[in-house]
Amino acid sequence: MSLKSFPKPSELPVPAGAEGWEKIYPYYLVFQDKLKEQEDAKFWFCDSQHWPTVFKPFETIGGEFAVKCLGQYNARHLMIPNANGIEFRVHLGYLYMSPIPVPEGQIAARVPLFEQRVGHYFQNWDQLLKQWHVKVKGTIDEMETISFPKLPDMVPMEDILSGKGKDGSEKLLESYDRLIQLAYQNWQYHFEFLNLGYIAYLDFFNFCKQVFPNIPDQSIATMVQGVDMELFRPDDELKQLAKLAVELGLQPNFGNTDDVDVTLGAIAAAPGGDRWVAQYEGAKDPWFNFTVGNGFYGHDKYWNEHQEIPLGYIADYIRRVDEGQEIMRPVEALITERDRIIEEYRDLLEGENQALFDAKRGLAATAYPYVENHNFYIEHWTMGVFWRKIRELSRMMQAEGFWTEPDDLLYLGRNEVRDALFDLVTGWGVGAKPIGPDYWPAEIERRRGIVDALKTARPAPALNTPPESITEPFTRMLWGITTEQVQQWLGAGEAVEGGGLRGMAASPGVVEGLARVITDADQLSEVQQGEILVATVTAPSWGPIFGKIKATVTDIGGMMSHAAIVCREYGLPAVTGTGSASTTIKTGQRLRVDGTKGTVQILDALIPDAGEPELQVTGPGAHSHSHV
Amino acid sequence: MHSNEYIQFFDGGIEPKLENLGGKGASLVTMTSAGMPVPPGFVVTTAQFDAFIEEAGITRDIHELLAGLDPEDMGQVDKVSAAIREDIRSRPVPPALRELTVTAYESLMSRFDAPVPVAVRSSATAEDLPDASFAGQQDTYLWLDGVKAVTEHIRQCWASLFTSRAIIYRLKNNIPNEGLSMAVVVQKMVNARVSGVAITMDPTNGDRSKITIDSSYGVGEMVVSGQVTPDNIMLDKVTLTVISEHLGDKHAELVPDAVAGRLVEREVDAERRGRRSLSDAELTAVAQMAKRAEKHYKCPQDIEWALDTDLPDGDNLLLLQSRPETVHSSKPVVPSSASAGGYFSGLSPAGSSATSASTTAPASSTPSSTGPSSSSSFNLGSITASLLKPSF
């Protein structure tokens, strides 16, 4: 069966109970009735790699800041000759994107601007990157100073004495605004080097494809990828702590890591425990600013606030060390193999091409590691602090009666929060009851129902008619959206022998094993030794899981997605970007994963047509377009 | 049994010497130890020939018969040739030497479930090889069964040193008879289950980062001569990833009929036609062997290989021939300037002194030069061209 198009936005059914969903998001984020024709003419793909679940209204902040700032570097900073940024919309709770090309006639004029700007960065890479670390860390430090204390009963006497003349509410408003601004700031920084890393990679990629036609993408990735990168640092810290615990004989203290205080107390009291605790405390700052999610959701859990998570991983590593397993990544073997691959390809070239190979690989190997390492500083560290502060604010307002659950602030848009704050300071200032406590609880309940209803449906992989071919370089690099991938989603791709799924051959090798389907980080504890992880998408902090599993299959992601990088690092087969593995495959099914060919076979598909569950929901207002 | 002065197994681990093993024998030992396993076997060394003709008293006769021989006197040359060869074929081989050969043959046979046919070939030393048609180079005896046939044909090879043509050639070229010797190769006949060729490049465009393999059932002749459509597989040479594969029809195969001592053609059934003739592991093994051949000979190779039915999995891949690939290897791999984009414009004023972005580490006004530009150059023009490529 070969479909020609994906559904139009207005053709997707609205899950029952989600009617009116478009009003919980800012007007500019949803498809517009007045722009139906233009919007339907564009191809939109769903970014469920970064936003796998439905946005609560506040959470659109991550999508908005990230995709806006990505775009500004293409369109305004670097003047990428043929690519502007990416337009985005929230539809039925999920984020859809549409890359914006540069009109043919403007490309040539942008070339000298592009080369001047990109040239400056590549020539001054180390110095500018050093400066980046200072800027980013400065933002985080300032964010840490922000707090949202309850407003006092009266202005303190010293403010009277000093003649301050302000009641302190301005500080609350400023703190909120500043927190948002600081998040925005680090999201701008986030992309300062990211697009450049991809450009350098793309340049080497294209060169390789030219001199070695059909060279596997994997080979190119391997040649520029850092082996020992900061992305793996938190996991490595846990492994070191596990080894130290074994060395010091502290294993008996890890019996109930869910009780953090008892566990840490017992370790501190044990002989040698002080040494372990000192190393543990050293690892926490900053490496426990690490989320089990991806930094884009208010419900993401961070290691430093949920130490039962890293302690549980440490306990598991301890068990494996005691069983005689090698828990450290085979870093030396990986470096040796990477160097062999580089050397062998290089030796195939002569003269000028060999010099070009060296130059392009050198640039990519310098610039590309940023792509892998920045993640810790922004998604994990910055956003960890950001969400912690937002939760603090939410709890303060909960105490003021604005809502019933501690994190209900997430059901307000970020600009609605500002309104609610002014409502609060007004009521407080004049000595009256604010309106919020009578307005928000019911409204939040209504929105909660809508969000829960939206969650019952998975997003469409894309919307509208795809172009003949996908040529925009970043779309392919960042999201793995290729012409072939789109055809695959449309069911027009080459069938997999014996039935099954096709995706990107992201990390080589072939294994068979039992599937474990994970749709939420909270399910990670269910993963058993030797299983094959099947997930919508994986996150860096799932690192400890990769020591347990045999292979990974994801719905979303390209050669440079997290799952691909980590699997190559651990020497596990991976097939990414299958589109529907997590909904097609059931836990317990026996799979054959071929990470070299990019195929996944379900070896015991008992139910012949175990496709997606029926979307039981239809109804009016399928989409903002149909609201006339 | 182990190799010794008189018998050297291909895989015996002794450094091959041309003067002991002859050209063919030395090459077979070299290839085996370089990870390019040829069909297993051993060399009866020149030392054995020397000891035989010495102890059997032939050496003196040879010198006497050849002394003063006129190369133009064909009748006399033929007579002398016949006499020497008769001596070599009939005089008893000293029992100790004969025992060594018999033991070596039995040792070779013990590697298989049942005795297998062998080939016996002469392996002349270098000075006897003015061109391939002389000095017994052509002496190859196939499908030999049993020790008696083997020892008889070893003597045949020895005797071929003294054919009339060889004698006349040496006389005319003043090649002395002293030190003249001959090694003989005893080697298992290939019993190919699957065979084919492998080229250490993509022959369609000369891309040296690929290995191309043609594979079909039975003996490779049908692949080489184009009588069957083989499976065609292309792999990445560095990572051995399969880039593409096309299953051929492989409708027929040539298989050895040991009893008849020849190859017979038979039809391949639908099931075997429908699948690839090489398993994943076998495919990797063929590619690795081709890679080793290329590395060994230091230029792209075109090899013939076979999987031998009589040998256990993992040890059954044999290299039958390796020769330089000549069609493409003389051409450049790719257009000489791979990334000449049409958009190069150098650095604009902000980059001041860097007039060409491809120069290394321009001492520009920018304060740091510790970036990539200091250790390697980069070419903005080609980066731009990369971005502007319609697809990749």
Side-chain angles (χ1 to χ4, degrees):
Chain A
M1 185 182 64
S2 171
L3 307 167
K4 284 203 178 68
S5 289
F6 294 95
K8 289 190 174 72
S10 55
E11 288 167 355
L12 288 179
V14 174
E19 297 81 5
W21 64 271
E22 66 279 357
K23 296 292 180 202
I24 71 174
Y25 301 114
Y27 73 90
Y28 56 85
L29 278 182
V30 298
F31 288 115
Q32 302 293 304
D33 293 334
K34 284 186 179 168
L35 297 174
K36 186 172 193 302
E37 206 174 318
Q38 294 97 303
E39 289 175 337
D40 280 353
K42 290 177 183 165
F43 177 64
W44 304 83
F45 63 87
C46 180
D47 183 358
S48 46
Q49 178 175 353
H50 296 95
W51 293 280
T53 57
V54 170
F55 282 119
K56 296 188 186 79
F58 189 86
E59 291 167 338
T60 65
I61 190 171
E64 292 181 60
F65 285 4
V67 189
K68 183 266 172 187
C69 296
L70 164 73
Q72 78 187 48
Y73 275 92
N74 276 9
R76 307 293 170 193
H77 293 247
L78 302 175
M79 307 307 289
I80 305 288
N82 59 340
N84 278 316
I86 293 171
E87 266 192 290
F88 54 98
R89 299 282 190 276
V90 173
H91 189 65
L92 294 169
Y94 297 97
L95 192 68
Y96 291 85
M97 299 180 166
S98 187
I100 308 159
V102 174
E104 200 64 38
Q106 295 173 21
I107 290 177
R110 281 170 75 149
V111 166
L113 300 169
F114 164 74
E115 293 187 348
Q116 185 180 354
R117 288 152 189 252
V118 169
H120 176 74
Y121 267 93
F122 284 153
Q123 274 173 343
N124 299 285
W125 186 269
D126 287 355
Q127 185 229 346
L128 289 167
L129 188 57
K130 208 169 138 193
Q131 191 177 309
W132 181 90
H133 277 97
V134 174
K135 292 187 296 193
V136 167
K137 185 65 178 18
T139 307
I140 294 170
D141 288 346
E142 189 185 339
M143 231 182 223
E144 280 285 11
T145 65
I146 290 174
S147 66
F148 297 104
K150 181 178 161 47
L151 291 162
D153 287 342
M154 63 181 127
V155 170
M157 189 59 197
E158 60 264 35
D159 288 356
I160 303 292
L161 296 174
S162 67
K164 186 177 179 187
K166 292 187 282 189
D167 67 1
S169 63
E170 77 289 345
K171 180 69 189 157
L172 174 60
L173 297 172
E174 273 169 29
S175 291
Y176 179 72
D177 290 345
R178 190 65 188 149
L179 181 62
I180 301 295
Q181 286 309 311
L182 289 169
Y184 186 54
Q185 182 166 297
N186 264 8
W187 276 103
Q188 295 209 49
Y189 295 153
H190 174 280
F191 290 96
E192 185 183 357
F193 290 84
L194 191 75
N195 304 24
L196 292 167
Y198 280 117
I199 287 169
Y201 180 76
L202 188 65
D203 181 48
F204 180 58
F205 184 98
N206 282 336
F207 174 77
C208 286
K209 289 283 177 186
Q210 193 171 357
V211 291
F212 308 122
N214 300 316
I215 182 175
D217 293 5
Q218 260 172 29
S219 293
I220 306 172
T222 304
M223 286 193 279
V224 301
Q225 193 175 309
V227 168
D228 224 7
M229 45 187 144
E230 282 164 311
L231 187 63
F232 293 104
R233 184 69 186 272
D235 189 24
D236 285 347
E237 293 287 337
L238 301 189
K239 289 174 176 172
Q240 298 291 1
L241 284 163
K243 289 177 90 169
L244 183 64
V246 170
E247 187 192 319
L248 297 170
L250 295 170
Q251 297 98 314
N253 302 301
F254 288 85
N256 180 18
T257 48
D258 282 346
D259 195 329
V260 175
D261 293 340
V262 167
T263 301
L264 291 176
I267 295 168
D274 49 343
R275 194 178 142 203
W276 191 90
V277 169
Q279 185 166 326
Y280 180 80
E281 290 302 322
K284 268 167 72 177
D285 187 16
W287 304 111
F288 281 20
N289 289 289
F290 206 56
T291 172
V292 297
N294 62 8
F296 286 120
Y297 291 96
H299 61 250
D300 283 353
K301 288 178 182 159
Y302 286 78
W303 285 7
N304 53 2
E305 291 169 90
H306 294 272
Q307 293 181 47
E308 69 278 6
I309 296 168
L311 286 172
Y313 286 144
I314 293 171
D316 195 47
Y317 281 135
I318 288 174
R319 176 186 60 74
R320 281 155 58 187
V321 171
D322 281 339
E323 285 171 5
Q325 292 183 37
E326 177 51 70
I327 58 168
M328 301 311 284
R329 288 171 296 116
V331 170
E332 266 180 44
L334 288 163
I335 291 174
T336 305
E337 174 65 359
R338 184 193 62 183
D339 291 349
R340 176 191 74 83
I341 289 173
I342 295 169
E343 192 67 22
E344 285 197 22
Y345 281 115
R346 184 182 187 278
D347 284 349
L348 294 168
L349 299 172
E350 287 163 1
E352 188 188 349
N353 276 336
Q354 198 174 63
L356 278 171
F357 176 89
D358 288 343
K360 288 172 185 296
R361 199 200 69 81
L363 183 68
T366 302
Y368 193 74
Y370 174 84
V371 175
E372 292 152 344
N373 289 332
H374 77 276
N375 196 273
F376 176 76
Y377 295 93
I378 311 294
E379 281 88 339
H380 292 275
W381 197 353
T382 303
M383 294 310 283
V385 177
F386 176 78
W387 289 118
R388 177 150 44 83
K389 298 297 175 184
I390 289 296
R391 279 194 291 272
E392 184 190 331
L393 174 61
S394 181
R395 271 149 214 185
M396 187 271 278
M397 295 185 75
Q398 179 203 14
E400 297 288 350
F402 273 65
W403 36 76
T404 53
E405 299 298 320
D407 294 338
D408 275 353
L409 175 146
L410 299 175
Y411 287 95
L412 278 66
R414 70 177 179 280
N415 295 312
E416 291 177 327
V417 171
R418 209 178 186 291
D419 280 351
L421 278 171
F422 202 78
D423 177 15
L424 171 67
V425 302
T426 301
W428 171 80
V430 304
K433 193 168 170 270
I435 305 301
D438 290 300
Y439 176 81
W440 285 113
E443 175 60 12
I444 286 170
E445 274 327 298
R446 189 184 75 84
R447 294 183 182 192
R448 201 192 312 275
I450 289 173
V451 168
D452 289 346
L454 290 175
K455 280 183 185 168
T456 62
R458 294 296 305 153
L463 302 171
N464 303 327
T465 307
E468 283 283 302
S469 62
I470 310 259
T471 57
E472 199 280 313
F474 293 103
T475 310
R476 174 162 178 164
M477 284 293 308
L478 275 70
W479 286 276
I481 311 277
T482 62
T483 309
E484 305 81 61
Q485 184 67 73
V486 168
Q487 288 308 308
Q488 191 67 37
W489 284 339
L490 286 169
E494 199 184 331
V496 175
E497 196 184 333
L501 299 150
R502 186 178 291 277
M504 283 223 173
S507 180
V510 184
V511 292
E512 288 182 12
L514 298 179
R516 173 67 62 179
V517 182
I518 296 290
T519 52
D520 189 298
D522 287 342
Q523 298 170 289
L524 283 175
S525 58
E526 297 166 13
V527 176
Q528 303 297 311
Q529 189 84 33
E531 288 184 328
I532 292 172
L533 176 66
V534 180
T536 314
V537 63
T538 68
S541 55
W542 296 17
I545 293 301
F546 287 85
K548 268 185 167 178
I549 57 173
K550 270 183 170 170
T552 301
V553 179
T554 68
D555 292 355
I556 292 287
M559 283 304 298
M560 286 301 172
S561 64
H562 169 260
I565 292 171
V566 181
C567 283
R568 288 196 292 272
E569 182 79 10
Y570 278 82
L572 303 173
V575 177
T576 59
T578 59
S580 59
S582 73
T583 45
T584 308
I585 296 167
K586 309 292 172 224
T587 290
Q589 281 181 326
R590 192 158 186 81
L591 306 180
R592 180 180 161 87
V593 177
D594 188 332
T596 311
K597 289 179 184 157
T599 58
V600 182
Q601 280 169 274
I602 304 171
L603 299 175
D604 55 358
L606 297 174
I607 315 144
D609 198 32
E612 291 178 50
E614 289 278 312
L615 295 170
Q616 65 284 69
V617 273
T618 53
H623 161 251
S624 44
H625 277 162
S626 56
H627 282 268
V628 185
Chain B
M1 93 168 246
H2 298 294
S3 297
N4 53 54
E5 189 187 353
Y6 302 105
I7 297 289
Q8 190 162 336
F9 277 89
F10 300 164
D11 53 3
I14 294 183
E15 182 77 17
K17 290 202 178 102
L18 189 66
E19 63 268 30
N20 295 343
L21 306 182
K24 186 176 293 167
S27 157
L28 291 167
V29 173
T30 302
M31 288 168 79
T32 302
S33 60
M36 299 182 284
V38 295
F42 57 88
V43 185
V44 178
T45 67
T46 55
Q48 181 161 169
F49 173 81
D50 297 344
F52 162 60
I53 58 166
E54 188 59 42
E55 288 187 36
I58 301 171
T59 312
R60 204 164 35 105
D61 295 356
I62 289 172
H63 288 305
E64 281 170 12
L65 285 165
L66 292 176
L69 192 62
D70 176 4
E72 304 301 329
D73 184 349
M74 284 305 293
Q76 189 58 26
V77 169
D78 283 346
K79 233 173 102 180
V80 167
S81 165
I84 297 175
R85 286 189 286 144
E86 179 53 28
D87 271 358
I88 292 174
R89 279 196 295 260
S90 62
R91 299 223 185 155
V93 174
L97 288 181
R98 188 183 152 77
E99 189 54 32
L100 285 175
T101 306
V102 170
T103 311
Y105 174 77
E106 284 168 354
S107 168
L108 179 62
M109 289 303 112
S110 73
R111 298 186 189 190
F112 313 104
D113 294 339
V116 295
V118 296
V120 170
R121 307 163 196 266
S122 56
S123 175
T125 53
E127 61 259 51
D128 303 310
L129 281 171
D131 76 44
S133 60
F134 284 104
Q137 173 70 0
Q138 301 286 18
D139 281 306
T140 291
Y141 305 97
L142 305 174
W143 306 107
L144 302 178
D145 282 309
V147 71
K148 189 161 181 296
V150 169
T151 52
E152 265 171 28
H153 287 89
I154 292 172
R155 287 182 187 236
Q156 294 278 12
C157 289
W158 285 341
S160 71
L161 260 181
F162 297 98
T163 60
S164 298
R165 290 182 73 192
I167 291 170
I168 292 167
Y169 178 85
R170 284 193 294 269
L171 285 173
K172 286 188 171 172
N173 290 282
N174 288 320
I175 297 170
N177 291 300
E178 285 82 16
L180 193 60
S181 191
M182 169 71 87
V184 179
V185 166
V186 178
Q187 187 175 26
K188 179 190 183 299
M189 288 297 297
V190 175
N191 186 7
R193 173 168 61 80
V194 179
S195 61
V197 298
I199 300 172
T200 61
M201 61 164 49
D202 177 353
T204 63
N205 61 7
D207 172 10
R208 288 192 51 194
S209 71
K210 305 293 182 292
I211 295 174
T212 313
I213 293 173
D214 275 357
S215 166
S216 192
Y217 295 113
V219 171
E221 273 174 45
M222 299 189 88
V223 173
V224 176
S225 61
Q227 289 172 276
V228 293
T229 309
D231 299 329
N232 176 263
I233 306 114
M234 188 185 292
L235 302 96
D236 181 85
K237 195 190 284 178
V238 176
T239 61
L240 304 186
T241 310
V242 173
I243 305 282
S244 66
E245 57 183 341
H246 301 284
L247 293 192
D249 186 44
K250 314 181 285 285
H251 69 281
E253 63 184 338
L254 277 177
V255 287
D257 181 337
V259 178
R262 63 185 175 85
L263 297 168
V264 292
E265 183 178 329
R266 69 181 182 199
E267 206 169 303
V268 174
D269 64 45
E271 188 274 326
R272 289 168 74 221
R273 282 192 210 188
R275 61 177 156 87
R276 199 175 68 193
S277 49
L278 287 173
S279 70
D280 287 353
E282 289 163 351
L283 184 66
T284 304
V286 171
Q288 280 169 336
M289 192 166 73
K291 233 176 125 168
R292 283 193 294 270
E294 181 183 64
K295 197 173 177 196
H296 183 77
Y297 294 109
K298 298 184 173 63
C299 67
Q301 296 289 303
D302 177 348
I303 70 165
E304 286 179 32
W305 54 267
L307 289 168
D308 194 305
T309 310
D310 303 324
L311 290 163
D313 279 352
D315 285 323
N316 55 353
L317 176 62
L318 302 176
L319 180 62
L320 309 183
Q321 186 166 30
S322 187
R323 58 184 166 237
E325 201 282 346
T326 48
V327 179
H328 282 92
S329 43
S330 54
K331 296 179 192 166
V333 177
V334 285
S336 59
S337 182
S339 294
Y343 295 93
F344 177 74
S345 64
L347 284 178
S348 300
S352 61
S353 61
T355 52
S356 164
S358 63
T359 55
T360 52
S364 67
S365 55
T366 45
S368 166
S369 61
T370 55
S373 55
S374 62
S375 54
S376 60
S377 64
F378 60 90
N379 185 322
L380 280 171
S382 86
I383 290 172
T384 309
S386 270
L387 276 177
L388 295 175
K389 275 173 77 81
S391 64
F392 62 92

